[in-house]
Amino acid sequence: MRSLRFGLPLVSLFTGVALLFTAPAAHAADTPLRDLAAAKGKVIGTAVTGSKLTGTYGDLAGSQFSSLTPGNAMKWGTVEPTQGTFNWTEADQIVAFAQAHGQQVRGHTLVWHSQNPGWLTNGTWTSAQLSSLLQNHISTEVGRYKGKIAAWDVVNEPFNEDGSYRSTLWYNGLGSDYIANALTWAHAADPDAKLYINDYNVEGVNAKSTALYNLVKSLKAAGVPIDGVGLQAHLVLGQVPATLQQNIQRFADLGVDVAITELDVRMALPADSTKLAQQKADFKSVVAACVAVSRCVNVTVWGFTDSDSWVDSTFPGYGAATPYDANYAPKPAYYGISEALGGTTTTPPPTGACTAAYSVSSQWNTGFTGQVTISCSGASLSSWKATWTYGAGQQITQAWNAVCTQSGAAVSCTNASYNGTVADGSSVSFGFNAAWSGSNPVPAVTLSPA
Ligand code: G3I
């Protein structure tokens, strides 16, 4: 495809997600997080997607972490999509991977208001039926993995923000007793598994965490098998609660373990070196708070790479929430975790980032003009390649200021001979014309050195 220069009055119609590329560091030389954590008597975990556990994703999941949590594979809607018909494929795969890599598994999650099968949520059940369904579910799933699960998030997200019980299928049908019953049934099915109640926005001392505290206290007083609380820790950049360690300590003082179960720190995109430095500080302070309390046993990140995070689709405009970028390069956040675990890095952490932003500047009934702008802040590039996959049959017909090829839906654009260098603090753009029909969704662009 020929390269030519082209100028248009640019009115951005659609703007794409800017994906991050940080300078790769020689992370292989650094002590793996799981070894650092072990030296502190802690477990470091990540949520995983079973189908991705190969290649670089599998290598990092297996080498850096000592615990895996199935992100979705053990939820009721996944394991029993049709009543009485079970699908354990992904859950079994993750458990087998963990065993092969000497890792714990955190089972997630048995009783939740979300990701339940349609047959369950659409059914009309008496309290007795509901109770029996829940008991069977817990007995079946916990029993299947008996001896293979270190800890279960038995009950997930039972509270509202004000500390009242959340109105759910379970609470509305069974009252708050469902919590004690679920724990008791799980204990019967696997007496060695540690049993947790897990929730979000309970990291600091507040009404919700105090409700959780009071619940755990009463469960312990009643002799109900409760071993720990999970603080999910889906955090916003710069907003680690000041009372995090104090809160962990008060649960520890009740006689239960604490786990940080779903840590991520989201930021407004695009990422830049200032935000990444703040994110490093945030990850570091969360891990340090856990290290400081002996009964805080596990810190688990909710996805270790920005290519496998729930944040981007749930909070449009936010992302870059995990310790590795989408190309598996460790971000400053990775080094924040490492340092909080006592690690000294052999390579200076990357301090900056280059991003690629995709936008459609004009569109007509059969075609459109788009552009991608590559910007660097605290980092630089001497060559670049931007790739994306079109989701609706778009076809590039012409490009300028880059050499673009398209094979099927996959587009790959590398720098022209004259614009491979993107200096710190500068940007370069390239443009293209393309055909579309039906819809023209903005793709996610991945940026890497050419
Ligand atoms: O499996 C289907 C796939 O077949 C379909 O093509 C695709 C299209 O949207 O959806 C896929 O299901 C998605 C599923 O993740 C698996 O990728 C669901 O739409 C999506 O809603 C679901 O999101 C999960 C979310 O829980 C649901 O609330 C996230 O991956 C998962 O990370 C997230 O995890 C929760 C914890 O369990 C509890 N705490 C909060 C945390 C974040 O929401």
Side-chain angles (χ1 to χ4, degrees), residues 26-77:
H27 55 282
D30 299 325
T31 307
L33 298 179
R34 62 184 289 174
D35 295 350
L36 296 171
K40 295 279 185 193
K42 308 292 176 186
V43 171
I44 181 92
T46 181
V48 290
T49 303
S51 59
K52 297 183 179 176
L53 284 169
T54 60
T56 307
Y57 183 101
D59 289 346
L60 290 173
S63 63
Q64 293 286 337
F65 299 95
S66 45
S67 173
L68 300 183
T69 303
N72 290 296
M74 289 186 172
K75 292 169 180 173
W76 198 337

Side-chain angles (χ1 to χ4, degrees), residues 142-162:
V142 177
R144 178 181 179 84
Y145 295 110
K146 182 173 189 284
K148 297 178 178 175
I149 303 286
W152 273 104
D153 292 331
V154 177
V155 178
N156 200 36
E157 303 174 359
F159 289 112
N160 294 316
E161 298 304 293
D162 65 1

Side-chain angles (χ1 to χ4, degrees), residues 229-251:
V229 293
L231 316 181
Q232 292 186 6
H234 293 294
L235 302 176
V236 175
L237 190 72
Q239 295 183 26
V240 177
T243 51
L244 173 60
Q245 187 178 323
Q246 176 193 339
N247 192 42
I248 294 172
Q249 186 67 58
R250 73 169 172 161
F251 282 104

Side-chain angles (χ1 to χ4, degrees), residues 13 22 40 48 57 61 79 81 111 144 191 223 230 335 354 375 382 384 414 421:
L13 295 177
T22 47
K40 295 279 185 193
V48 290
Y57 183 101
V79 301
V111 192
R144 178 181 179 84
Y335 295 96
C354 297
S375 309
S382 57
W384 46 261
T414 52
T421 298

Side-chain angles (χ1 to χ4, degrees), residues 121-317:
T121 52
N122 297 331
T124 305
W125 314 104
T126 65
S127 289
Q129 288 171 322
L130 205 52
S131 181
S132 164
L133 285 167
L134 184 58
Q135 181 172 9
N136 282 338
H137 167 62
I138 291 173
S139 306
T140 302
E141 182 152 1
V142 177
R144 178 181 179 84
Y145 295 110
K146 182 173 189 284
K148 297 178 178 175
I149 303 286
W152 273 104
D153 292 331
V154 177
V155 178
N156 200 36
E157 303 174 359
F159 289 112
N160 294 316
E161 298 304 293
D162 65 1
S164 58
Y165 282 111
R166 187 191 284 265
S167 166
T168 68
L169 174 68
W170 308 115
Y171 181 71
N172 297 340
L174 302 171
S176 62
D177 283 354
Y178 84 90
I179 296 173
N181 287 335
L183 289 160
T184 301
W185 295 328
H187 184 68
D190 186 352
D192 294 329
K194 301 290 185 192
L195 305 181
Y196 281 65
I197 302 172
N198 188 48
D199 215 326
Y200 63 89
N201 289 349
V202 292
E203 294 75 33
V205 175
N206 58 35
K208 193 174 184 180
S209 65
T210 298
L212 178 59
Y213 178 90
N214 289 332
L215 171 63
V216 171
K217 193 173 179 180
S218 69
L219 290 171
K220 284 200 68 89
V224 174
I226 172 76
D227 299 295
V229 293
L231 316 181
Q232 292 186 6
H234 293 294
L235 302 176
V236 175
L237 190 72
Q239 295 183 26
V240 177
T243 51
L244 173 60
Q245 187 178 323
Q246 176 193 339
N247 192 42
I248 294 172
Q249 186 67 58
R250 73 169 172 161
F251 282 104
D253 292 344
L254 264 187
V256 292
D257 292 339
V258 178
I260 307 293
T261 49
E262 305 184 15
L263 176 61
D264 51 28
V265 179
R266 61 185 179 269
M267 63 181 71
L269 296 172
D272 61 29
S273 55
T274 306
K275 294 177 194 174
L276 292 171
Q278 179 64 54
Q279 189 185 46
K280 174 184 177 180
D282 293 344
F283 270 89
K284 188 172 180 175
S285 70
V286 172
V287 177
C290 184
V291 168
V293 181
S294 58
R295 287 204 79 142
C296 186
V297 295
N298 178 315
V299 178
T300 287
V301 296
W302 203 244
F304 64 88
T305 161
D306 290 341
S307 65
D308 187 41
S309 170
W310 70 296
V311 167
D312 303 64
S313 58
T314 306
F315 302 98

Side-chain angles (χ1 to χ4, degrees), residues 73-109:
M74 289 186 172
K75 292 169 180 173
W76 198 337
T78 304
V79 301
E80 195 181 1
T82 303
Q83 189 170 14
T85 302
F86 295 91
N87 179 0
W88 304 106
T89 310
E90 188 188 353
D92 285 354
Q93 181 197 354
I94 292 169
V95 170
F97 183 97
Q99 290 185 331
H101 292 81
Q103 297 169 303
Q104 293 185 359
V105 178
R106 281 192 71 85
H108 176 86
T109 178

